[in-house]
Amino acid sequence: MHRAWWVALVILGALVAAAGFRSSTGALLEPLESEFGWSRATTSGAVTANLVIYGITAPFAAALMERFGLRRVVSLALVLVAVGSGLTTVMTAPWQLWVLWGVFVGVGAGAMALVLGAIVANRWFVESRRGLVTGVFSAAGAAGQLVFLPGIAALASGPGWRWSALVVTGAALLLVPLVLLVVRDRPADLGLRPLGAQPGEPLDEPATRHTGSQVGPARLAVRTLRASTRSRTFWVLFGTFWICGWSTNGLIGTHFIPAAHDHGMPETTAAGLLALIGVFDLVGTIASGWLTDKVDPRLLLCGYYGFRGLSLLFVPALLGPDIHPNLFIFIVFYGLDWVATVPPTIALCRRHFGVARSGVVFGWVFAAHMVGAGVAASYAGWVRQSTGDYFTAWLTAGGLCLFAALACLAISRSPERGAWNAEGEDAEVGAVA
């Protein structure tokens, strides 16, 4: 087996561990409120801090990986997640929740966000296989829900929510030695070519090396952002991914369990449904990665956002104390579409900004995703506290997704030309397209 698959397997495990605690917040809101007497606005605010810091970390983490390598950054990120998760077991005040969920877990998980999967796919696999590999990495978030969420909800309802936090701590720490042992920054470090490369090709594809990799990570991230903002495509991807985060992590990921509980559904049942979304997302996102290698990514995004928006408009009529067929159909449909937007978005970043810059560019696009999620988490919490239900939050998310579907059609089919393309990179950008 090519070493690329071993690297991909360990990185997949890291992504799953990071997603595990990220997905647990929805199951822990009510237990925390019950024990400490905190309001929904307080706990939702901590989730917002987590999501925003998680997203803003991504572009700087991508630059750090360019500068210091994958192994160092991922290992440190896993330790941060373990520390942040473990220390929640001894917290006593809301500000401690904000610091631990927001800063420690936010920064650690943000360093292992989807940007990590995009960088590994770019370095270890040839272009014809990157879409499928990116789809697999994107599904890791769903796998985190699948693996952790039912157990986290059961522990929170039984022995207590502290056991849930300790499970994530242990899983993150166990992965650190695997990362140090297996992961290498590039195939050339082991005298290998990327998976799928033909004999005789260079060991290291020059296009995967960022021309600014020797500058400081912060400067590299900011410089890439400044250049990318001159592109219309960047702003469309930035805005639509902001809406993507609003409608997934921010609303469904954070508030689905308490919203279902408002309608009389047990929390463990709601957590099981959210995990089931993760099961179908594994299928949907991997299929989306395969389609991205064959279909215009713009059209895929238009379809994904459009169908997601329509499905969200029906949620208020579907929730109830029991699982009926219409609700199950929504779970299946929404699961297939959960993060199917990721592979075509990454592909458009490569097409319009080049392989070398796509990791950092997608980092900024992903930052918009998580800021949107953070705003939605607080907005939905405010709607619930002020009106007594989530009806307005569902309608808002559905409308935003329909707008995003139309916005994707404004992306040009061929790569734009401009200052964001470095000298000598035009040919490489065109080749990716």
Side-chain angles (χ1 to χ4, degrees):
M1 184 183 292
H2 194 284
R3 181 62 172 267
W5 290 120
W6 293 109
V7 173
L9 185 62
V10 173
I11 293 300
L12 189 67
L15 292 171
V16 168
F21 194 74
R22 273 286 317 111
S23 66
S24 70
T25 53
L28 298 182
L29 291 183
E30 291 191 342
L32 289 173
E33 292 164 4
S34 176
E35 177 171 334
F36 295 105
W38 297 337
S39 68
R40 181 61 51 86
T42 297
T43 54
S44 296
V47 175
T48 294
N50 171 273
L51 292 169
V52 171
I53 294 175
Y54 174 77
I56 293 176
T57 300
F60 295 96
L64 283 170
M65 291 173 196
E66 294 286 351
R67 186 71 176 85
F68 298 109
L70 294 172
R71 281 200 304 169
R72 295 178 184 177
V73 175
V74 175
S75 298
L76 180 59
L78 286 167
V79 171
L80 282 175
V81 169
V83 171
S85 177
L87 288 179
T88 58
T89 61
V90 295
M91 67 183 177
T92 57
W95 69 266
Q96 295 168 344
L97 177 67
W98 282 57
V99 170
L100 295 173
W101 271 12
V103 179
F104 281 79
V105 177
V107 171
M112 295 181 291
L114 296 175
V115 176
L116 171 60
I119 291 175
V120 172
N122 287 347
R123 292 182 179 182
W124 282 87
F125 298 85
V126 298
E127 173 63 26
S128 62
R129 304 193 183 194
R130 287 172 186 157
L132 178 60
V133 174
T134 301
V136 174
F137 283 138
S138 303
Q145 293 180 16
L146 172 64
V147 173
F148 286 104
L149 192 53
I152 286 172
L155 288 172
S157 300
W161 62 267
R162 289 177 175 82
W163 286 90
S164 304
L166 292 175
V167 166
V168 177
T169 297
L173 290 177
L174 287 174
L175 277 167
V176 174
L178 281 177
V179 171
L180 295 175
L181 181 65
V182 175
V183 175
R184 294 295 184 274
D185 297 330
R186 299 174 185 275
D189 296 344
L190 299 172
L192 300 174
R193 294 178 177 83
L195 181 62
Q198 298 300 316
E201 292 184 9
L203 291 181
D204 198 8
E205 184 181 347
T208 64
R209 289 192 179 275
H210 199 297
T211 54
S213 59
Q214 298 306 311
V215 304
R219 180 178 298 179
L220 174 58
V222 173
R223 180 185 297 176
T224 303
L225 174 64
R226 186 183 301 118
S228 302
T229 54
R230 304 187 183 105
S231 166
R232 180 185 65 188
T233 296
F234 174 80
W235 287 112
V236 175
L237 294 175
F238 190 90
T240 54
F241 227 47
W242 188 86
I243 294 172
C244 182
W246 180 295
S247 58
T248 53
N249 299 79
L251 181 59
I252 294 288
T254 304
H255 291 283
F256 179 80
I257 293 176
H261 188 59
D262 285 347
H263 288 78
M265 183 178 293
E267 292 180 11
T268 52
T269 302
L273 288 177
L274 199 55
L276 193 58
I277 287 178
V279 175
F280 287 101
D281 179 60
L282 288 170
V283 178
T285 307
I286 293 173
S288 177
W290 179 80
L291 285 171
T292 299
D293 291 330
K294 303 178 183 299
V295 181
D296 187 342
R298 303 173 308 142
L299 301 181
L300 291 177
L301 287 178
C302 180
Y304 295 156
Y305 285 120
F307 286 120
R308 182 187 298 176
L310 292 174
S311 68
L312 287 170
L313 296 178
F314 290 97
V315 172
L318 299 178
L319 292 177
D322 302 312
I323 302 175
H324 51 82
N326 289 338
L327 177 59
F328 184 76
I329 291 173
F330 166 78
I331 294 298
V332 173
F333 182 84
Y334 194 84
L336 292 173
D337 194 2
W338 175 260
V339 289
T341 54
V342 173
T345 300
I346 293 175
L348 288 170
C349 286
R350 285 198 299 264
R351 172 181 293 183
H352 288 270
F353 303 98
V355 175
R357 285 167 175 73
S358 63
V360 180
V361 172
F362 179 68
W364 284 111
V365 173
F366 182 77
H369 182 282
M370 302 316 299
V371 171
V375 174
S378 285
Y379 170 76
W382 172 79
V383 167
R384 168 63 175 78
Q385 187 164 317
S386 59
T387 66
D389 59 44
Y390 287 97
F391 181 78
T392 304
W394 297 119
L395 296 187
T396 303
L400 287 172
C401 287
L402 293 176
F403 173 78
L406 296 175
C408 291
L409 299 179
I411 301 174
S412 60
R413 181 180 180 85
S414 58
E416 298 176 66
R417 304 298 180 186
W420 52 89
N421 287 340
E423 183 179 356
E425 196 179 62
D426 281 352
E428 182 267 324
V429 174
V432 171

